[in-house]
Amino acid sequence: DDDSDDDDDSDEPAYSKEQRQRRASAALLLKPPDAAAWNTLIRAYAKTLRWREAYEAFAEMRDTGVAPNLLTYTNLAAGALAAGKPEVAAATLGERMTVPHNVFSYTIKIRAHAKLGDLVGAVKTLKAMRDDGVRPNARTAAALLEACLAADQPKAGQTLALELGRLETRALATGSSAAQR
C-alpha cells in the first residue's frame, strides 16, 4: 500500500557520510567519560602545571561515580610535584589514595618528601614500599639520595645507596628480577 520506492523502513532522514560521521562523533561526546578519559584530562592539566584544574577534574571524576585508579593518583601527584606543590603530592599518595601503590607512586612520594626536606617521611615511604613487597628502582634510589641531601644528611645517602645496591645485587643473584608491581 506504500507508494514509496524507498526500501528503508526507517523514519531517519538520509544523511551524507560526513553528516553520519559528525553525528557519531557527537554521540561519543555525549557518552559519560570513563577512567581513561578522566586520566587523560588530569594528565593534560598536570603536564601544563595546572594542578588545581587537575584536582578539580579528579573531584568531578569521583562525583560522577568513576573510580580513580593508580594512574589517576600518580598523574595528580606528579603534576602537583612539577608545579612546586610537594605537600599536595605527598598527601595525594598518602591517606587519600584508595588503590595499592607501585614503584612509580612510591618514588613520586619519596620525591615529594625530598622536596620538602623530609628525610624521615622519605624513609618511612621506603619502609612501606618494602613492606608491600615493591622493589625500589634506580629512580627510587635517586629520590632517596635527593631527600638525604635536602636534609643535609649526605652520610645517610651513602648508607641508603649501599643498602639499595646490596638489595639489588641479592635480587639479581636469586633471579628475582621479576617485573615491578
Side-chain angles (χ1 to χ4, degrees), residues 10-178:
S10 169
D11 289 334
E12 289 283 324
Y15 292 105
S16 70
K17 182 178 180 180
E18 182 179 315
Q19 289 171 318
R20 284 192 309 273
Q21 287 173 336
R22 276 200 307 265
R23 284 175 54 92
S25 294
L28 286 175
L29 292 176
L30 297 176
K31 183 180 170 187
D34 59 6
W38 283 112
N39 286 337
T40 300
L41 177 63
I42 290 168
R43 181 175 170 85
Y45 282 135
K47 287 286 192 182
T48 56
L49 305 181
R50 295 166 58 188
W51 68 275
R52 281 190 179 92
E53 286 100 331
Y55 281 85
E56 287 169 8
F58 172 64
E60 191 174 342
M61 174 187 190
R62 288 188 311 180
D63 290 347
T64 61
V66 178
N69 57 31
L70 185 59
L71 186 59
T72 310
Y73 289 104
T74 56
N75 283 338
L76 284 167
L81 195 57
K85 299 293 180 186
E87 65 284 351
V88 174
T92 299
L93 296 173
E95 294 174 12
R96 287 193 221 166
M97 195 160 141
T98 59
V99 297
H101 283 276
N102 68 5
V103 67
F104 303 109
S105 61
Y106 275 125
T107 300
I108 292 168
K109 189 172 181 183
I110 291 170
R111 285 185 56 223
H113 286 294
K115 297 290 183 196
L116 292 167
D118 178 15
L119 180 57
V120 172
V123 172
K124 282 182 180 178
T125 302
L126 176 64
K127 182 183 179 334
M129 183 179 199
R130 288 179 174 161
D131 290 348
D132 284 348
V134 178
R135 274 198 355 208
N137 63 17
R139 289 181 185 224
T140 310
L144 283 164
L145 290 173
E146 182 183 346
C148 292
L149 294 174
D152 198 28
Q153 297 291 325
K155 290 281 188 196
Q158 290 171 342
T159 302
L160 281 170
L162 289 171
E163 182 181 338
L164 289 174
R166 281 193 298 270
L167 287 174
E168 184 63 24
T169 302
R170 203 172 318 139
L172 291 173
T174 61
S176 63
S177 58

